[in-house]
Amino acid sequence: MGRFGLVRARKDDCTGRGRWSRRGLPERLAGRLRGRLWVMAGRGELPTAGCIDSQTVKAADTVEAATCGYDAGKKIKGQKRHIAVDTLGLLLCMIVTAASVQDPDGAHPLLALLTEKYSTINLVWADGGYAGRLVTWARDVLRLAITIVKRTDDMGGFVVLPRRWVAERTLAWLTRYRRLVRVYESKPEHHEAVIWWATVHQMTRRLARELAGQLPAGRWADPPPELAALLEIENINSFRVQLFQWSHQGYINKIGPALYGPIPAST
């Protein structure tokens, strides 16, 4: 195959993937995989509850300026992903907007799409940014109950909040893909297609592990009991985040002396 044949093959390949996305193939494929995972987890075939959240991502130069915005809270110029997941963290639906769109404004079409696709869902968890008129609108128009999970004033540092961590974990899964660390697609619908393909890949790996009876490999182990007592570790997730912060702040060397004592001076 010559140079022009290779270029034509690549062009046909890209056109084929575009046709798949326009036909909704990745979303339907993710739906079938999600159903298999629900059955294997001992759950019903349709979800009854979910969780919503958003994530602001920087945009590359290839993204159209009309589809970008500035998120004043995150101080990021780009686009925002609004997602809805089930209680297992599997993606149900999503929309991509400019980063300037506020969370409640993006949640209106997201919740409408969610109830259109899954009429069995009657409860959704969300963070404090969705409180207000959105809760009333969802209750009166969509017959959907939104439960706001807020942080309390006595919480210090990082604390895993009930239900909210499921959607936050899904966003972390997505950003593990290099193509999703930043928005490169010129149109929002193209970026949505890439997210769906990444979701298909996640579900396929998860389903393969379940069928083989293998547990997912843990990236972090529980701290030793003596270290947990010395550092007063009560929550393992808070410990992991603190360990990550220490590694970036240069304090990771404190853990060695805490475990093994000071290094003896050489004579």
Side-chain angles (χ1 to χ4, degrees), residues 64-242:
E64 297 179 356
T67 61
C68 291
Y70 182 75
D71 188 344
K74 302 294 180 59
K75 295 181 173 57
I76 295 177
K77 181 180 180 181
Q79 294 181 350
K80 183 177 291 188
R81 305 165 183 160
H82 306 266
I83 67 169
V85 301
D86 63 0
T87 53
L88 295 178
L90 304 177
L91 186 64
L92 295 174
C93 63
M94 63 158 174
I95 60 172
V96 176
T97 65
S100 55
V101 176
Q102 300 296 323
D103 289 351
D105 297 333
H108 277 81
L110 178 67
L111 293 176
L113 181 63
L114 179 65
T115 53
E116 178 183 354
K117 292 181 176 294
Y118 304 96
S119 59
T120 55
I121 291 183
N122 51 34
L123 175 62
V124 171
W125 291 281
D127 59 27
Y130 295 93
R133 291 179 297 177
L134 177 66
V135 178
T136 306
W137 174 82
R139 183 191 61 218
D140 297 339
V141 177
L142 302 178
R143 301 297 186 267
L144 186 65
I146 299 181
T147 301
I148 304 298
V149 182
K150 295 183 177 180
R151 290 174 56 92
T152 58
D153 296 335
D154 57 350
M155 288 184 180
F158 176 81
V159 178
V160 179
L161 298 177
R163 302 298 181 179
R164 276 178 50 180
W165 67 271
V166 178
E168 295 171 352
R169 182 184 60 176
T170 303
L171 293 173
W173 285 344
L174 292 176
T175 52
R176 294 179 64 180
Y177 291 86
R178 183 175 59 180
R179 188 65 180 267
L180 296 179
V181 173
R182 181 170 297 191
V183 181
Y184 296 98
E185 287 68 36
S186 58
K187 296 182 179 180
E189 53 268 26
H190 297 167
H191 187 62
E192 293 177 4
V194 175
I195 295 177
W196 278 119
W197 282 118
T199 302
V200 169
H201 181 258
Q202 292 174 358
M203 293 182 180
T204 304
R205 289 170 58 97
R206 187 168 179 173
L207 184 60
R209 289 196 303 265
E210 294 287 346
L211 293 175
Q214 299 176 355
L215 295 176
R219 301 182 62 189
W220 293 88
D222 291 345
E226 58 273 14
L227 179 60
L230 182 62
L231 299 180
E232 299 179 355
I233 298 173
E234 298 179 356
N235 189 298
I236 179 60
N237 293 303
S238 299
F239 166 74
R240 292 168 180 169
V241 174
Q242 186 64 57

